[in-house]
Amino acid sequence: MFTSSEAFSSFSVDDIDKAKRFYGETLGLSVTEGMMGNLEVRLGNGAQLFIYVKPDHVPASFTVLNFMTDDVEKTVGELNARGVTTKIYGDADLADMPPNDEKGIMRDEEDRAQIAWFTDPAANVLAVVAESM
């Protein structure tokens, strides 16, 4: 039914101006204002993300957006240099997973599956994930 249709993801934030700066300036994505002041974010693969303001916003308790990268360590370093904290979970928070290092990167035993989580200004959880995962 939807195999040939376009799709996009969306989530809320509590401050649209902070979101615009974060996604546009900090993450370097193409951000334009859409209808009613909402944001349209163009991801690297051409996919679109719709971000809208919600006064009673409550961040999701799960990862809402994953960015694939061929070098998690390098990407985390770039995020950290831009003021983004990537160690948002302690090992007790990830009890059923391998530990994460001081930068917040979790690796499997073969060092193939790598992921690091971070939050946007509205506390939505995002991640960088190794492409080989």
Side-chain angles (χ1 to χ4, degrees):
M1 180 164 81
F2 296 116
T3 58
S4 63
S5 68
E6 294 283 327
F8 65 92
S9 181
S10 64
F11 54 83
S12 69
V13 296
D14 55 359
D15 186 317
I16 207 76
D17 292 326
K18 285 182 181 178
K20 184 176 183 179
R21 282 191 303 276
F22 181 79
Y23 287 93
E25 296 171 20
T26 304
L27 299 186
L29 298 169
S30 172
V31 178
T32 56
E33 286 189 30
M35 55 188 220
M36 300 186 319
N38 297 308
L39 301 179
E40 295 174 7
V41 180
R42 183 68 59 183
L43 302 175
N45 64 357
Q48 185 174 317
L49 175 64
F50 181 74
I51 300 176
Y52 58 95
V53 69
K54 186 176 176 202
D56 59 345
H57 166 76
V58 175
S61 61
F62 52 86
T63 307
V64 298
L65 184 61
N66 293 283
F67 293 98
M68 302 298 289
T69 181
D70 59 353
D71 190 336
V72 171
E73 187 87 31
K74 179 181 175 188
T75 303
V76 164
E78 292 172 4
L79 286 167
N80 294 162
R82 292 173 182 221
V84 177
T85 300
T86 50
K87 182 153 178 77
I88 64 169
Y89 297 121
D91 291 337
D93 298 320
L94 304 171
D96 59 341
M97 299 175 152
N100 60 85
D101 66 16
E102 67 281 348
K103 293 180 182 178
I105 302 172
M106 185 199 71
R107 297 174 172 84
D108 69 358
E109 294 78 26
E110 292 84 35
D111 203 30
R112 289 179 304 168
Q114 300 177 14
I115 185 168
W117 294 272
F118 59 102
T119 58
D120 72 1
N124 292 309
V125 178
L126 314 174
V128 290
V129 181
E131 287 181 350
S132 61
M133 192 165 156

